Amino acid sequence: MIRNIALKLLPISMLASLAGCTYTPIQEDGFSYVERHTQLETISAWEMNGRIMVDTGERAFQGRFRWDQFGDVLELSIRGPFGANVLQVSGSSEKLIVHAQSETWQLLDPEPELSALLGWWLPVKSLQAWLLGRADPSFSAQEEFGSGPTLRTLEQRLWLLTYDSYQLFEGIMVPRRIDLSHNDLELRVIVDQWSPSS
């Protein structure tokens, strides 16, 4: 049985620094949604840095994250408010290695096993697409578009995603703030930097 590692959680009142973040992009990339999707599909390796907030309704956590994508392989690192390493995840959708609290786990059914470790559902299979403002092509979805044109809301896999704002990196618009909710679980992601990797 996988033991719940439960990230060190903070009082919800400590999350004010993320709660009020908002940004309106000044520049656009000139692509349609389909053209932008096509452009992003050609980028097999990229890196992203930002902030994350998790609110389970009873507990809350905030920290910084770094996501590196290399084809089907990801490396995710989440650090707490004071820079301490909280969680490291690496591998593919078929097999993940997790380091947390001085322990290591090998997950052969990654999504449910990682969610069991965390104590809340992290839809890791779909995050690669969601973080770039796209629906996961492996699942049915309901999409609503805003200006840009960019994805404004996405309903997929029992999650509701709201794309509050976008920004221009490397000539392509990517999300800046994403609010994700599933029942009482709420996540907020603020992207501070994104770029293709060599």
Side-chain angles (χ1 to χ4, degrees):
M1 177 180 292
I2 293 179
R3 180 175 59 84
N4 187 305
I5 62 174
L7 301 181
K8 293 180 180 179
L9 301 170
L10 302 173
I12 294 174
S13 60
M14 296 284 288
L15 301 176
S17 61
L18 279 177
C21 294
T22 185
Y23 177 80
T24 302
I26 298 175
Q27 295 176 303
E28 296 182 356
D29 56 15
F31 295 125
S32 69
Y33 175 72
V34 173
E35 290 170 336
R36 186 179 302 108
H37 189 152
T38 301
Q39 286 287 112
L40 290 168
E41 281 188 328
T42 66
I43 301 172
S44 60
W46 50 267
E47 59 187 55
M48 176 181 285
N49 294 289
R51 291 159 281 167
I52 185 170
M53 178 270 282
V54 180
D55 182 355
T56 68
E58 298 178 353
R59 301 173 300 172
F61 165 85
Q62 68 172 345
R64 300 197 64 86
F65 76 92
R66 177 183 175 95
W67 184 298
D68 290 278
Q69 191 74 38
F70 308 95
D72 188 43
V73 176
L74 70 89
E75 291 184 4
L76 169 64
S77 176
I78 298 178
R79 297 184 177 274
F82 304 107
N85 194 42
V86 175
L87 178 71
Q88 288 184 304
V89 179
S90 61
S92 69
S93 59
E94 303 300 323
K95 177 181 175 181
L96 287 178
I97 305 297
V98 177
H99 301 280
Q101 298 180 357
S102 301
E103 296 189 54
T104 300
W105 294 266
Q106 180 175 289
L107 310 184
L108 300 180
D109 191 5
E111 190 162 289
E113 291 181 1
L114 179 59
S115 298
L117 274 173
L118 295 174
W120 43 274
W121 180 18
L122 183 65
V124 67
K125 289 182 180 178
S126 299
L127 279 175
Q128 176 186 355
W130 291 357
L131 287 172
L132 297 182
R134 301 186 291 150
D136 182 340
S138 301
F139 301 91
S140 61
Q142 294 184 350
E143 301 163 304
E144 178 186 340
F145 295 92
S147 61
T150 53
L151 196 58
R152 173 60 181 162
T153 63
L154 170 65
E155 292 184 59
Q156 191 169 45
R157 304 188 64 195
L158 304 177
W159 282 80
L160 172 63
L161 290 81
T162 301
Y163 291 86
D164 177 83
S165 55
Y166 286 77
Q167 56 197 331
L168 197 63
F169 284 122
E170 304 291 333
I172 301 177
M173 288 179 69
V174 297
R176 182 179 190 273
R177 171 177 150 183
I178 313 169
D179 293 330
L180 308 90
S181 62
H182 168 68
N183 296 332
D184 292 333
L185 177 60
E186 295 185 359
L187 280 67
R188 174 166 294 166
V189 174
I190 306 292
V191 178
D192 294 322
Q193 184 272 336
W194 175 85
S195 64
S197 302
S198 57

